[in-house]
Every structure is written in C-alpha cells, then in structure tokens.
Amino acid sequence: MELNGRPVGAGELAGLALYGYGHFTTMLVTDLRVRGLDLHTARLADDCRALFGTDLDLVRVRELVRRAARSSPSPRVVRVSVFDPDLDLGRPAAPALPQILVTTRPAPAPDAPPRPLRLGTRLFTRDTPQVKSTSLFSTIRQRRAAQLDGHDDALFIGPDGRICEGPTWNIGFLDGRGIVWPQGPSLNGVTARLVGQAARDMGVPVATRPVTAAAGLRLAGAFTTNAATGVRPVTTIDGVRLPCPPLIARLSEAYRALPGQPL
C-alpha cells in the first residue's frame, strides 16, 4: 500500500476511512499489461473531475501502477484509489488536492474457472452509480444481506423493477441470439465493455434494454463481469435455476484472450 509512491501513514488514510469520499478503479495486471488500460485511466480522469473538479495526472498513475506491479508476483490485482487526505468535512467544496493510493492483492488463479454465482435480488441502487465510489458501505451491506439469505451475492433491482448491477460487477443476459445488458442505473464497467466488444468481434449481437427480474429468469442464461474474475456464470437468481449455455464459456475465453495494454 503506497500513497504517491511511498509508504502511507495511518493518519493520511484517516479522511478516506472516516468519510469515504473518493473514487477508484481495479485492474488485473499480468506481466505489466492490463486489459482495457485506456478505459481504466479514462474512468479515473472522469471521476476525478466529477468528485474533485480537477484533472488527474494519468502519467503518474501508470508509473505508480507499474511500480506496484513490479514489486508483486504476476498476475496481481491492483487498485488505484483517488482521495484528498486533507478533505474538510465541513467544507468539502474547498479546492481539492487528490492523491493516488495504490494497493495490491493476489489475483485469482489464472487457470481456475471462476465459481458460478447464486444471486439474490435486492431493492437498491447506488448513489451516483456512474462513479466508482470508494464509499462501499451500502453495497457491502446488501451483499451481506444476500449471503445471510443463502445466496453468494446481491443483484440490485431499481424501484421500477429493472435489473441494474451487482455490488462490484455488471451483469449480462443471453436471449438465445446474443448478449443483453440490462438498462438500469449502473457503472459502465470496463470488463463489460471489453466483453461486449469481444462478442461483436465473434459476430454475437449485443443489445442494451430494460430487463426486469422476472424477465431475466426467462432468458437463456446470465453472467457477471469484473476485472478480477472476468466472466462468471450465474446459476440461480432468487433460487430459480438458470441455464448455462456454451456461449458463456466462449465469451470467457474470448475475454481472456484479449491482449493487455502495456503500462
């Protein structure tokens, strides 16, 4: 864990821990390459302007991610968090000086297929879903509630009944022809965008339209997308079993075959 390329002190993390005001992106680094690196850095730049009203030094971000990746076994999950250690709770509109926190953790085994997910629906939408916020209280609470109900994770449903996303992933459905991304408040995920492009390259149709929970159960399958785990099949939603067609495995293979961009 380093702040601007140096060991971070506990006091410097106090604002992030106490207020949770910041944003982040998580990427899988393999041999100093990242799938969708340009999308990750664009997200960081956009979110920094949205939350702090200032530009982020993306050259410095890449340098710090390279530094962290070189010091850890490959592959590695690297998270870049951007926050202002001097944020004043009483005056959050004051000019900000956002800093770059880089943390790493072990990556899932590259040859082990991700374990399928059992999802439980929850009536919930994230605050400002288009921003990948460091404030994870509400999403973790929903994940915990779903697990206490016997599921692996939560699937967020909006007040209008439309499926949105999960706590740390996007969800896609298969309609017998191709991919359907649910049209609801959600993060425009990097992995989802890469999977969508890989599908188009395979000649698989990709569409975005409203999907209710009831309609999702009648479709031909579902999967989640996340930078750390890639494409992960969904086996049940609210206890109702979903089919797992071969296209999900093909999408997973196509995503894993995408070349990473050099840091």
Side-chain angles (χ1 to χ4, degrees), residues 33-50:
R33 288 179 172 267
V34 177
R35 295 185 191 94
L37 177 62
D38 55 342
L39 300 178
H40 283 288
T41 54
R43 164 188 286 164
L44 290 171
D46 291 344
D47 289 356
C48 190
R49 294 189 197 101

Side-chain angles (χ1 to χ4, degrees), residues 170-187:
N170 292 104
I171 187 167
F173 292 88
L174 303 179
D175 64 355
R177 296 180 58 253
I179 297 175
V180 177
W181 300 112
Q183 190 178 54
S186 64
L187 183 73

Side-chain angles (χ1 to χ4, degrees), residues 5 21 36 38 47 105 162 183 203 222 256:
Y21 190 84
D38 55 342
D47 289 356
R105 58 182 170 88
R162 294 189 297 173
Q183 190 178 54
R256 289 162 63 92

